[in-house]
C-alpha cells in the first residue's frame, strides 16, 4: 500500500488540504497495522472536510457569478431599450416600440405643419408621410400648383395625397384632356378631392359619360374647368335624372350637349329640389312648359339663380314697380337673365333716372319695362345720347317720352342707323313727325331691306297708309296686302308686343320623349 502525501496550509479559520492521488492507485482490501490505519482514517477525515469546503466555495462562486451575469444582462437590456436599440441582432422591435416610433414621427410632422400655419386637427387617422421632410416636399408641390396655406387649411385632407401616386397622375390626365394648366389652381380650390381619385376607376368613366351626352370632345376641358365637381358624381345618379327631366319637358335632344357645355352645373342639380320647382313656378306665372324648355335651351344658367333666394323676390319687385302680372310671362321670356340679378336697386335707379331725364312716371316706367326689360341693365350714357338725338330731330320732350314709352328700343339702337332712317323719312317719304311719334318702331327696321322697297311699292300704287300698316308685318303678309282694294282700319293698329308663341315653334328634330312626365312629377316631388 502507498501512503498518499498531504500538503496542508493552516489558515486562521479553516484548513485546506491538497491531496495528490495517483490515478493508477487501486484500492484493494488488505491488512494494515494499527498505526497505518489511524493515519489513513485521519487522512480520510481531512479529505472529506476538504471536499465539503471546495463544494461550498464552488457553489458560492457560481451563485455569485450567476447573479452578476443576470444583473449585467438586465442592465444591458434596459440600457438598450432606453437607447432605442434592440438587445440582440436577431430580435425585432416590439409592437409597442413600433407604435411609440410612429407617435413620435407623427408628432414631428404635426409640429412642422403648425410651424408653417397649417392646423393638423383634422388629420388624425389619415395616413401621412413618415418624416417631416417628405411632408415638406408635399406642401412645396401644392404651393407650386398655386395653392396657399389658406387653401390647404380649407381642405387639409389633401395632405394625405402622395405626389407621385396621386397628384401627378391626376394632373397629367387632366392636362391630356386639354384642361389648361393656368386653370389648375382654381380647379383644385373648387374640387381638391380630385387628387384622391383614381384615373381609371373614377375620372375616365365620367369623361366617357359626358361624351355620351353629346358634349364635343373639344368642349370636355371647358366643361371640367367650369364645373370640376362633376368628376365626383355617380353616373347613374343626379346626372342622368336631371338630363332625363329636361328632355321630358321639351328640351330638344340635340340641344342637350350645348346646354350642358354652357352650364354644366345642371348635372349636379337635384330634379325634385331645384329643376322641377323652377319649371313649375314659371308655369304658374303663365309661361307654357314648352316655352320654359326653350328658355333653358337659350339661357340654361337661369336654373341656377335660386328660386326662393332670388327669382321670387325679383318677380315681386317687378310687380311693385307697376309691371302688370299679365305681362310677367313676356317680360321673363324676353330677358330671363333678369331673374338672377339684384333687381330692386336697379329698378329704383333706372326709374329715378328716366323720371329726371324725360319726366317718366312710375306707371309709364312699368310699360317701358314690359316692352323692353333690358332697360333695367342699360347704362345712362347711351340713354342720354339717344334722347338728345331725338330732340335734335325736332321732337319735343313730351313727344320723346311718348316715343320711349311706345318703343323703348329707341334708347338702345345704333344712332348712325337711326340717322339714315330719319333722313330717308324726311327727304323721300314726305311724312310729318307725328307719324314717327305714333309709330316710333320705324327706327328699328332696315332701310334697304324693308323701308325703301315697301315705300316704293305703296307710292307707285298711290296708297295712303300708316307706318305701322306699311312695316309691321312679314314680307309675305305685305305682298298679300298689296292685293287688297282697300286698307282695313283693323290692320293699321297691329300689336307689336312680344309674342310668346315665337318661343314654341315646332322643331323638325323633336321626337317623343322616353320620360313619362306624369310619373316624373310624382318621382321628383
Amino acid at each position: 500500500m502507498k501512503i498518499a502525501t498531504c500538503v496542508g496550509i493552516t489558515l486562521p479559520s479553516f484548513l485546506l488540504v491538497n491531496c495528490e492521488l495517483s490515478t493508477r492507485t487501486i484500492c484493494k482490501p488488505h491488512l494494515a497495522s494499527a498505526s497505518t490505519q489511524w493515519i489513513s482514517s485521519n487522512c480520510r477525515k481531512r479529505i472529506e472536510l476538504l471536499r465539503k469546503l471546495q463544494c461550498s466555495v464552488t457553489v458560492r462562486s457560481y451563485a455569485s457569478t450567476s447573479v452578476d451575469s443576470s444583473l449585467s444582462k438586465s442592465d444591458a437590456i434596459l440600457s438598450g431599450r432606453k437607447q432605442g436599440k434592440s438587445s440582440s441582432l436577431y430580435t425585432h422591435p416590439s409592437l409597442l416600440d413600433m407604435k411609440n416610433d410612429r407617435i413620435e414621427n407623427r408628432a414631428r410632422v404635426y409640429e412642422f405643419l403648425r410651424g408653417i400655419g397649417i392646423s393638423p386637427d383634422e388629420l388624425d387617422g389619415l395616413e401621412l408621410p413618415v418624416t417631416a421632410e417628405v411632408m415638406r416636399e408635399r406642401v412645396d408641390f401644392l404651393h407650386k400648383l398655386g395653392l396657399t396655406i389658406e387653401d390647404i387649411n380649407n381642405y387639409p385632407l389633401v395632405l394625405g395625397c402622395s405626389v407621385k401616386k396621386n397628384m401627378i397622375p391626376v394632373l397629367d390626365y387632366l392636362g391630356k384632356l386639354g384642361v389648361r394648366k393656368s386653370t389648375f389652381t382654381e380647379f383644385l380650390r373648387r374640387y381638391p378631392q380630385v387628387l384622391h381619385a383614381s384615373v381609371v376607376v373614377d375620372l375616365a368613366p365620367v369623361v366617357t359619360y359626358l361624351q355620351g351626352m353629346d358634349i364635343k370632345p373639344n368642349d370636355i376641358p371647358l366643361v371640367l374647368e367650369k364645373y370640376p365637381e362633376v368628376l365626383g358624381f355617380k353616373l347613374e345618379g343626379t346626372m342622368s335624372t336631371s338630363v332625363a327631366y329636361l328632355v321630358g319637358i321639351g328640351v330638344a335632344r340635340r340641344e342637350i350637349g350645348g346646354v350642358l357645355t354652357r352650364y354644366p352645373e345642371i348635372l349636379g342639380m337635384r330634379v325634385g329640389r331645384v329643376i322641377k320647382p323652377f319649371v313649375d313656378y314659371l308655369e304658374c306665372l303663365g309661361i307654357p312648359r314648352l316655352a320654359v324648355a326653350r328658355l333653358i335651351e337659350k339661357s340654361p344658367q337661369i336654373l341656377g339663380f335660386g328660386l326662393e333666394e332670388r327669382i321670387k323676390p325679383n318677380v315681386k319687385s317687378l310687380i311693385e314697380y307697376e309691371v302688370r302680372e299679365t305681362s310677367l310671362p313676356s317680360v321673363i321670356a324676353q330677358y330671363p337673365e333678369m331673374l338672377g340679378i339684384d333687381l330692386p336697386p336697379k329698378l329704383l335707379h333706372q326709374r329715378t333716372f328716366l323720371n329726371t331725364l324725360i319726366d317718366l312716371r312710375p306707371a309709364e316706367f312699368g310699360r317701358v319695362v314690359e316692352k323692353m326689360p333690358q332697360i333695367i341693365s342699360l347704362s345712362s350714357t347711351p340713354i342720354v345720347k339717344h334722347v338728345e338725338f331725338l330732340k335734335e330731330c325736332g321732337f319735343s320732350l313730351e313727344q320723346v317720352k311718348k316715343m320711349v314709352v311706345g318703343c323703348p328700343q329707341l334708347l338702345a339702337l345704333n344712332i348712325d342707323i337711326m340717322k339714315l332712317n330719319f333722313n330717308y323719312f324726311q327727304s323721300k317719304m314726305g311724312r310729318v313727325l307725328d307719324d314717327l311719334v305714333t309709330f316710333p318702331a320705324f327706327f328699328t327696321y332696315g332701310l334697304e331691306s324693308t323701308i325703301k322697297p315697301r315705300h316704293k311699292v305703296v307710292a307707285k300704287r298711290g296708297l295712303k297708309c300708316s307706318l305701322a300698316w306699311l312695316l309691321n308685318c312679314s314680307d309675305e303678309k305685305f305682298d298679300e296686302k298689296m292685293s287688297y282694294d282697300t286698307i282695313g282700319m283693323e290692320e293699321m293698329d297691329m300689336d307689336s308686343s312680344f309674342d310668346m308663341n315665337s318661343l314654341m315653334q315646332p322643331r323638325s328634330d323633336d321626337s317623343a320623349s322616353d320620360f313619362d312626365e306624369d310619373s316624373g312629377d310624382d318621382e321628383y316631388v
Side-chain angles (χ1 to χ4, degrees):
M1 178 178 179
K2 296 182 180 180
I3 299 174
T5 60
C6 296
V7 179
I9 302 177
T10 305
L11 294 178
S13 60
F14 59 90
L15 175 67
L16 294 178
V17 180
N18 184 16
C19 297
E20 295 180 358
L21 298 175
S22 174
T23 57
R24 295 183 180 181
T25 301
I26 300 174
C27 296
K28 297 179 181 181
H30 56 274
L31 295 175
S33 61
S35 62
T36 300
Q37 289 177 354
W38 180 86
I39 293 174
S40 296
S41 175
N42 190 26
C43 184
R44 280 196 299 272
K45 290 180 180 180
R46 292 185 178 181
I47 289 174
E48 290 296 331
L49 177 62
L50 179 61
R51 287 179 177 173
K52 291 180 179 181
L53 288 174
Q54 285 178 337
C55 289
S56 176
V57 172
T58 301
V59 169
R60 289 181 181 179
S61 298
Y62 176 78
S64 177
T65 302
S66 299
V67 171
D68 292 342
S69 176
S70 299
L71 289 174
S72 63
K73 287 182 180 179
S74 299
D75 292 341
I77 292 173
L78 290 176
S79 63
R81 288 183 178 177
K82 289 181 180 180
Q83 296 177 4
K85 297 179 181 179
S86 175
S87 61
S88 173
L89 293 176
Y90 302 101
T91 59
H92 296 286
S94 66
L95 294 177
L96 179 61
D97 293 337
M98 295 173 65
K99 180 179 179 181
N100 291 335
D101 288 341
R102 286 196 299 270
I103 293 175
E104 291 177 3
N105 291 335
R106 199 173 189 91
R108 284 191 287 269
V109 171
Y110 279 13
E111 182 180 0
F112 162 73
L113 293 176
R114 292 191 183 97
I116 62 176
I118 298 175
S119 175
D121 296 340
E122 298 182 28
L123 301 179
D124 293 341
L126 185 68
E127 184 177 353
L128 295 177
V130 177
T131 65
E133 288 74 17
V134 177
M135 178 58 79
R136 184 189 302 275
E137 294 176 0
R138 192 168 293 185
V139 172
D140 290 342
F141 186 81
L142 293 173
H143 283 332
K144 290 179 181 178
L145 295 174
L147 298 182
T148 63
I149 295 297
E150 182 181 359
D151 297 327
I152 297 175
N153 277 325
N154 289 335
Y155 186 73
L157 298 182
V158 73
L159 296 174
C161 298
S162 168
V163 174
K164 294 181 179 179
K165 296 180 180 179
N166 301 106
M167 300 186 191
I168 291 179
V170 168
L171 295 175
D172 283 347
Y173 178 72
L174 294 176
K176 291 177 181 178
L177 287 176
V179 177
R180 295 168 295 174
K181 290 184 178 180
S182 59
T183 67
F184 277 177
T185 301
E186 186 60 26
F187 192 105
L188 295 176
R189 281 176 181 161
R190 289 186 56 181
Y191 188 59
Q193 296 90 334
V194 71
L195 295 178
H196 295 286
S198 164
V199 171
V200 176
V201 177
D202 302 317
L203 305 186
V206 174
V207 172
T208 302
Y209 182 84
L210 294 177
Q211 292 174 340
M213 290 288 180
D214 292 334
I215 298 177
K216 299 177 182 178
N218 292 338
D219 290 332
I220 292 294
L222 181 62
V223 170
L224 297 181
E225 290 174 5
K226 286 182 178 180
Y227 193 50
E229 293 88 344
V230 72
L231 291 173
F233 294 151
K234 294 182 179 179
L235 303 184
E236 300 304 325
T238 304
M239 290 196 294
S240 59
T241 55
S242 60
V243 171
Y245 184 81
L246 291 179
V247 173
I249 65 171
V251 175
R253 293 182 183 274
R254 73 173 188 180
E255 299 293 333
I256 287 294
V259 167
L260 297 180
T261 299
R262 282 176 285 151
Y263 194 68
E265 287 84 352
I266 291 175
L267 293 169
M269 291 181 177
R270 301 294 295 271
V271 172
R273 295 180 182 178
V274 180
I275 303 179
K276 185 178 183 297
F278 171 84
V279 174
D280 291 345
Y281 179 71
L282 293 190
E283 279 192 291
C284 290
L285 293 179
I287 304 177
R289 177 166 288 202
L290 185 56
V292 175
R294 296 293 177 264
L295 290 178
I296 294 173
E297 291 176 6
K298 178 183 177 182
S299 305
Q301 68 274 12
I302 62 177
L303 288 171
F305 288 158
L307 183 60
E308 300 296 335
E309 302 82 6
R310 183 69 73 184
I311 296 176
K312 288 184 177 180
N314 281 349
V315 171
K316 182 179 179 181
S317 295
L318 289 172
I319 296 174
E320 290 174 353
Y321 278 83
E322 302 197 37
V323 173
R324 294 169 293 187
E325 291 189 22
T326 55
S327 298
L328 286 174
S330 66
V331 170
I332 295 172
Q334 290 179 78
Y335 189 35
E337 294 81 5
M338 171 187 59
L339 296 175
I341 64 179
D342 189 9
L343 197 54
K346 286 184 174 292
L347 287 169
L348 177 61
H349 172 270
Q350 210 70 322
R351 186 177 69 177
T352 303
F353 172 71
L354 290 174
N355 180 48
T356 303
L357 184 63
I358 58 176
D359 194 27
L360 198 66
R361 301 304 178 188
E364 294 171 331
F365 178 73
R367 305 295 82 74
V368 168
V369 173
E370 289 175 5
K371 293 181 179 180
M372 193 184 80
Q374 293 85 352
I375 190 73
I376 297 169
S377 302
L378 195 61
S379 64
S380 302
T381 302
I383 293 177
V384 172
K385 288 182 178 180
H386 286 76
V387 170
E388 291 300 323
F389 166 73
L390 293 174
K391 289 181 178 180
E392 292 172 1
C393 292
F395 298 103
S396 66
L397 183 62
E398 184 64 26
Q399 288 177 321
V400 170
K401 180 175 73 170
K402 187 176 180 180
M403 294 173 71
V404 169
V405 174
C407 183
Q409 289 79 5
L410 292 178
L411 301 178
L413 295 175
N414 186 307
I415 289 184
D416 292 332
I417 293 177
M418 292 178 69
K419 288 180 179 179
L420 292 174
N421 286 8
F422 184 72
N423 290 336
Y424 185 81
F425 175 84
Q426 277 191 320
S427 62
K428 302 297 183 181
M429 301 185 73
R431 291 175 177 266
V432 296
L433 291 180
D434 283 340
D435 288 348
L436 291 177
V437 175
T438 303
F439 189 71
F442 169 84
F443 290 98
T444 66
Y445 290 90
L447 179 61
E448 299 297 333
S449 62
T450 305
I451 297 175
K452 279 186 179 182
R454 293 190 183 185
H455 172 255
K456 289 179 179 179
V457 172
V458 171
K460 185 176 180 180
R461 295 190 57 179
L463 298 176
K464 296 294 183 180
C465 63
S466 69
L467 292 177
W469 189 93
L470 176 70
L471 300 173
N472 195 14
C473 62
S474 65
D475 290 338
E476 292 78 10
K477 182 64 175 178
F478 179 77
D479 292 338
E480 182 181 343
K481 288 179 179 181
M482 289 301 98
S483 64
Y484 295 170
D485 294 331
T486 60
I487 299 176
M489 292 300 296
E490 71 279 0
E491 295 183 274
M492 297 179 64
D493 297 321
M494 297 179 65
D495 186 11
S496 60
S497 61
F498 176 79
D499 183 8
M500 183 66 67
N501 291 326
S502 63
L503 279 178
M504 298 184 290
Q505 296 299 322
R507 289 172 175 268
S508 58
D509 64 318
D510 280 351
S511 57
S513 173
D514 296 332
F515 188 87
D516 187 346
E517 188 172 310
D518 295 333
S519 64
D521 288 351
D522 295 335
E523 180 180 355
Y524 299 116
V525 171

